[in-house]
Amino acid sequence: MRVAPFLRQHGGLILIIACWLIPGLLGRTPWKPDEAYTVGLVHHIATTGDWIVPTLAGEPFMEKPPIFFLLAALMGWAFGGLLPFHDAARLASALFIGLSMAALACATHDKTRPGTGRLAVLGLVSSLGLLVHAHQLITDLALMAGIACGLTGLSLIWRQPRWAGIWFGTGMGIAFMSKGLLGPGLLGVTAAALPILHAPARSRLYLQAMRQAFYAALPWLLIWPIALWLRHPELFAVWAWDNNIGRFLGLNTLGPKPEPGGYFAILPWFALPLWPIALWTVWTRRKQLRQDSQLLVPTLYFVLALAVLSLASDARALYALPLLPPLVMLITPLYGQERQPQRLSFALIPWLLFGLVWVLLVLGWIGLQTGMPALKGPRWLAMRPGFVAQFELWRPMLALLGAVALGWLARRHWRQGLSGFITSWCSGLAAVWLCFMLLWLPWLEWGSGFGPLVKQIRAAMPADTRCTTSWHLGEPQRAMFDYYGQFRLHRLEIDGGTNCDAILVQGHDLPMAITLQRQAWQEIWHGARPGDEKKEPYRLFRRRTSTP
């Protein structure tokens, strides 16, 4: 393949993806909540080689299967010499994003309309809800990739039957190894319901594809659960029941509780601009819905998945990522079907909106650099006390260069109907994200990273400290102390007492071990991350008299 023709054909798409994905993926420390504890799990695999029992700060963490942690550990091992370990591990997120893009491009590819695959990739990039999560070290990206592969398999059964079963089975396996039973359950229910609504699915071809999918999924579904059950049957029960069935049904206190309105309140902004276009596709082609598998498969999955997720006892905006692939698939049928060329003013709307955001980001950054009160904006800009801005010329220059290049790219596609609108939206979104990560990353990192805090506590701890007990430290915090401080905190909540000569307390409440023997303990350090003094303070206590 010649490089020059490839770049002429796909250079614009590569530019958008690079400006959208790379900034924020590299060059920063792990942030809580999700990234912080994930780094702890990945670091355990990288240092011990044990991928069967996910372990967080020395304790089994059976919330999720290990495929994402394992791949991230491999990335950390392969590129840890060139990048910090957490940056190298975060490359796993980019790989799963790439897998999602490749699967959706294959699912929507149409020889009569070359460009539908490109539109699908841009459709995934366009989602506002994916923007932040695409740069995080989170297992939900692997789940989304598994769902995308599974839907690709269902949509290809009547076009490429040889590969359809492999796509579907592999997608179910990746989804299972990412977050457990939810992903394969959603895909399985969709595959079971499809023959009821779609006559071609009631055929031998469909059964052959499902059989092939079964064989493709079997290794994913068996290897790790069997290995876990053989080593620790009790941990297998914790994973299978507590963190899958019990968590979904609300039989335990694991997971966040649903917000009022649930996903119906989340999706209007999370899936923008996909859902209006997808809704218009379904409405205008409702008469062909049951005959066209390209429409029926994503529509059926979306309806079933939304219903199942809405019934779950815990909910977060992050959990809506599996709803994005079907919406992406539903925007591509409109490609090239516009009745008339798109107006220039309609395609300009995204750039006008994102251009305004870009200007506000630049003005706020100038306010931080110069100290001008009029440009510092809302009070939330002062949430990083002690932050001192340092001028680095390359940051604004690169932000301006990226905005100009992306604006020129959008201008080339302004009159290309739906593709032009999505290209304009994605290029504007990428320009804003590039500007935000270049100019504001030092400010974000000042109050979000754990490295400086751990170093302060480590320096305040006496050299003769035998061991340290923790009180009310969450999973992200324990993982970060283990990752940065290279010392293990023994949880007071587990053993009920302390034989250690130091206690690290998170929050305002003191443990009973201190309140009952206040004279026996001395506070030797207190502090917090910048801006977290009231919300998340830390105090370090040392026993006044050493324990024999």
Side-chain angles (χ1 to χ4, degrees):
M1 182 179 62
R2 295 181 179 179
V3 177
F6 178 81
L7 290 178
R8 281 196 297 268
Q9 185 176 2
H10 304 288
L13 180 62
I14 295 174
L15 175 64
I16 291 177
I17 294 176
C19 293
W20 174 82
L21 184 58
I22 296 177
L25 189 73
L26 306 176
R28 62 176 181 85
T29 59
W31 296 345
K32 71 169 192 177
D34 300 286
E35 271 199 328
Y37 79 79
T38 304
V39 166
L41 297 166
V42 173
H43 190 251
H44 168 78
I45 295 178
T47 53
T48 66
D50 182 11
W51 57 275
I52 297 178
V53 179
T55 302
L56 178 70
E59 299 178 17
F61 184 81
M62 305 311 302
E63 185 175 315
K64 302 175 180 71
I67 185 176
F68 185 85
F69 312 136
L70 180 58
L71 181 59
L74 291 175
M75 292 295 102
W77 172 79
F79 300 100
L82 301 175
L83 300 169
F85 178 82
H86 47 267
D87 273 353
R90 213 178 279 123
L91 294 176
S93 300
L95 291 180
F96 281 112
I97 288 289
L99 178 59
S100 299
M101 291 179 175
L104 292 173
C106 290
T108 58
H109 177 68
D110 188 344
K111 293 182 179 180
T112 62
R113 294 181 298 144
T116 52
R118 177 182 183 275
L119 180 61
V121 172
L122 289 175
L124 188 65
V125 172
S126 71
S127 168
L128 292 182
L130 182 61
L131 178 61
V132 174
H133 298 311
H135 304 83
Q136 295 176 328
L137 194 68
I138 51 176
T139 58
D140 299 81
L141 296 176
L143 174 61
M144 183 181 69
I147 296 298
C149 292
L151 293 179
T152 298
L154 284 179
S155 65
L156 292 180
I157 289 178
W158 296 276
R159 289 187 295 161
Q160 298 181 17
R162 291 184 178 181
W163 292 99
I166 297 177
W167 272 110
F168 185 70
T170 303
M172 289 190 71
I174 294 175
F176 172 77
M177 286 295 291
S178 303
K179 294 197 70 174
L181 300 176
L182 177 63
L186 294 176
L187 291 172
V189 170
T190 304
L194 189 61
I196 301 176
L197 301 175
H198 193 51
R202 300 189 288 269
S203 63
R204 180 177 297 180
L205 179 64
Y206 188 77
L207 291 177
Q208 291 176 347
M210 291 298 102
R211 182 175 60 184
Q212 188 181 32
F214 173 78
Y215 293 133
L218 208 55
W220 301 88
L221 302 178
L222 293 181
I223 294 177
W224 176 74
I226 291 177
L228 176 62
W229 182 77
L230 291 176
R231 181 188 291 188
H232 291 292
E234 67 283 358
L235 293 181
F236 175 84
V238 170
W239 165 76
W241 177 256
D242 292 345
N243 285 289
N244 280 274
I245 300 174
R247 185 166 183 163
F248 180 84
L249 298 177
L251 301 178
N252 50 47
T253 58
L254 300 175
K257 299 307 175 186
E259 299 178 359
Y263 295 97
F264 293 96
I266 293 172
L267 285 176
W269 67 266
F270 192 92
L272 200 67
L274 295 174
W275 69 266
I277 304 174
L279 186 62
W280 179 252
T281 300
V282 174
W283 174 255
T284 55
R285 306 198 173 195
R286 59 190 182 278
K287 295 181 179 180
Q288 295 84 31
L289 187 61
R290 296 185 61 175
Q291 288 76 35
D292 190 349
S293 62
Q294 298 298 105
L295 294 174
L296 182 59
V297 167
T299 303
L300 179 61
Y301 167 82
F302 180 84
V303 172
L304 293 175
L306 180 59
V308 171
L309 291 174
S310 299
L311 292 174
S313 62
D314 58 339
R316 293 174 60 189
L318 178 65
Y319 298 164
L321 286 178
L323 298 175
L324 294 181
L327 293 178
V328 171
M329 295 172 66
L330 285 172
I331 72 171
T332 56
L334 294 180
Y335 177 76
Q337 303 299 313
E338 296 85 353
R339 297 181 180 178
Q340 58 185 4
Q342 182 176 315
R343 288 184 174 183
L344 182 64
S345 58
F346 181 67
L348 269 174
I349 293 176
W351 257 95
L352 292 176
L353 295 176
F354 290 122
L356 177 61
V357 176
W358 191 91
V359 171
L360 292 176
L361 289 175
V362 172
L363 291 177
W365 176 78
I366 294 175
L368 285 180
Q369 295 290 327
T370 61
M372 296 175 60
L375 296 179
K376 284 190 176 181
R379 182 174 296 180
W380 63 266
L381 292 180
M383 292 172 58
R384 298 294 191 268
F387 173 74
V388 178
Q390 296 183 356
F391 180 76
E392 297 173 290
L393 181 61
W394 67 272
R395 292 183 180 273
M397 292 298 295
L398 191 56
L400 179 60
L401 180 63
V404 171
L406 290 166
W408 173 80
L409 174 65
R411 183 179 178 274
R412 291 180 55 195
H413 297 271
W414 270 340
R415 295 187 182 275
Q416 295 182 7
L418 175 63
S419 178
F421 173 80
I422 295 296
T423 301
S424 179
W425 178 284
C426 291
S427 59
L429 185 64
V432 167
W433 182 254
L434 178 66
C435 177
F436 183 57
M437 284 291 105
L438 285 173
L439 302 185
W440 288 89
L441 185 59
W443 179 85
L444 291 169
E445 183 68 26
W446 179 257
S448 300
F450 279 91
L453 175 68
V454 176
K455 291 180 180 178
Q456 292 179 35
I457 297 176
R458 186 70 169 175
M461 194 170 297
D464 59 347
T465 303
R466 294 180 295 105
C467 64
T468 305
T469 303
S470 68
W471 175 253
H472 280 179
L473 257 69
E475 293 165 349
Q477 290 81 2
R478 290 190 291 115
M480 288 293 94
F481 278 96
D482 188 52
Y483 177 64
Y484 281 114
Q486 299 298 314
F487 66 96
R488 190 63 47 80
L489 296 173
H490 306 272
R491 285 206 291 163
L492 191 60
E493 296 91 337
I494 294 180
D495 56 30
T498 176
N499 293 320
C500 295
D501 45 16
I503 297 179
L504 179 63
V505 178
Q506 176 183 336
H508 301 279
D509 297 331
L510 294 178
M512 189 174 296
I514 293 181
T515 56
L516 293 181
Q517 302 178 3
R518 191 65 179 88
Q519 299 301 321
W521 294 92
Q522 176 187 5
E523 182 177 331
I524 60 175
W525 180 89
H526 68 274
R529 295 186 303 169
D532 269 356
E533 290 79 4
K534 295 182 179 179
K535 181 180 178 182
E536 194 177 287
Y538 295 86
R539 287 180 286 178
L540 181 63
F541 293 86
R542 187 191 182 189
R543 195 186 300 273
R544 292 183 185 272
T545 56
S546 59
T547 302

